[in-house]
Amino acid sequence: MIETKDIMLRDLRMSDIPKRTEWETVETEWQLWDGPWEFEGLAGAEKRKNVERRIRAMQTQAAHVWRDDERRKSFQIEVRGEEPRLIGWVASYHLTEHFVFTKEITDRCAVGIDIPDQSARGNGYSYQALRLFIDYLLEHGEKDIYLQTWSGNLRMIHIAERMGFEECLRKTAIRMVRGKKYDGLTFRLNMKKYAEFICNYFVNES
């Protein structure tokens, strides 16, 4: 568990799965921005199988008994308060030297974030959650932090650049989203810029 005065990063619980399932099946607006090519065109049995696979993966993750010293690949984002609520998650994965996803452990770690709860957006929670997660990964041995998105996701690009990420690779027109081609983008975190962001953005954090 990692926290600020506003949010907490914590492990997935079985009690989270109904809300996570709702985001997979009903409140799916977030899928328009996070890898939308993975969801477009899915219908009927194929869509149900996709949801069922995701739910099984969440159940396995929630059932895992974590050791305190065990490195997490993801956390749930919970807004603190009298009635804490789940608003999304952060996750990480590794990249090959060609910046392609791999299950192998490499020295290139990429981060991602989703906040399906639209009412929670615009409150700075994304910055807080990413900062906590990035710091957690650095403390657990990661050296280079990356972020991948596509050229149509302007909100994610803005967050990345503000936090100190710099574009290091652009693959032109590799993503087809809603009938239009977009570039695939990879950003690398500039540690000096990231430190400056922390000092400036969180200067008034208590």
Side-chain angles (χ1 to χ4, degrees):
M1 181 179 70
I2 319 168
E3 58 190 353
T4 68
K5 62 183 178 63
D6 297 319
I7 67 164
M8 174 189 301
L9 299 189
R10 59 166 177 76
D11 295 325
L12 182 70
R13 302 167 181 163
M14 285 295 182
S15 58
D16 296 327
I17 293 179
K19 172 51 72 173
R20 289 291 304 265
T21 301
E22 184 178 343
W23 286 334
E24 293 284 348
T25 57
V26 181
E27 297 179 17
T28 59
E29 180 270 349
W30 64 276
Q31 296 176 1
L32 296 175
W33 309 106
D34 181 8
W37 49 89
E38 296 179 1
F39 303 98
E40 285 187 6
L42 290 181
E46 186 180 10
K47 188 173 184 178
R48 286 194 298 273
K49 287 182 180 179
N50 185 59
V51 171
E52 290 168 359
R53 183 171 61 251
R54 288 173 176 265
I55 292 173
R56 286 196 299 271
M58 286 188 284
Q59 290 171 334
T60 299
Q61 182 181 350
H64 183 79
V65 179
W66 293 93
R67 301 189 313 271
D68 289 342
D69 62 347
E70 191 173 358
R71 180 195 179 284
R72 274 67 162 172
K73 293 182 179 179
S74 65
F75 286 107
Q76 307 307 295
I77 308 170
E78 179 178 284
V79 173
R80 302 178 65 187
E82 292 184 6
E83 297 184 7
R85 78 180 195 277
L86 183 68
I87 63 169
W89 59 89
V90 286
S92 65
Y93 55 96
H94 285 93
L95 301 170
T96 68
E97 60 183 319
H98 302 295
F99 302 104
V100 177
F101 166 81
T102 177
K103 292 183 179 180
E104 302 295 325
I105 302 299
T106 71
D107 57 2
R108 291 166 293 276
C109 180
V111 297
I113 183 169
D114 282 298
I115 298 186
D117 186 336
Q118 296 184 60
S119 68
R121 297 175 189 167
N123 296 306
Y125 298 148
S126 292
Y127 292 109
Q128 293 182 51
L130 281 171
R131 177 205 175 176
L132 288 176
F133 194 39
I134 289 170
D135 288 351
Y136 170 85
L137 294 171
L138 293 173
E139 289 167 4
H140 284 75
E142 298 295 349
K143 303 299 183 183
D144 278 329
I145 304 296
Y146 293 81
L147 184 149
Q148 295 185 307
T149 188
W150 54 290
S151 57
N153 193 345
L154 301 181
R155 182 168 54 210
M156 189 71 256
I157 293 171
H158 172 75
I159 291 172
E161 292 180 338
R162 189 174 182 188
M163 293 190 72
F165 284 91
E166 299 176 331
E167 184 180 324
C168 64
L169 179 67
R170 179 179 291 255
K171 296 182 179 179
T172 306
I174 67 164
R175 298 302 186 192
M176 179 68 73
V177 180
R178 295 182 279 281
K180 184 178 178 180
K181 289 184 177 180
Y182 291 89
D183 300 341
L185 308 177
T186 299
F187 293 83
R188 181 174 182 267
L189 187 61
N190 180 310
M191 294 301 176
K192 181 179 180 181
K193 289 185 177 180
Y194 177 62
E196 292 172 351
F197 165 78
I198 297 299
C199 289
N200 294 329
Y201 188 84
F202 295 100
V203 66
N204 295 317
E205 186 181 68
S206 59

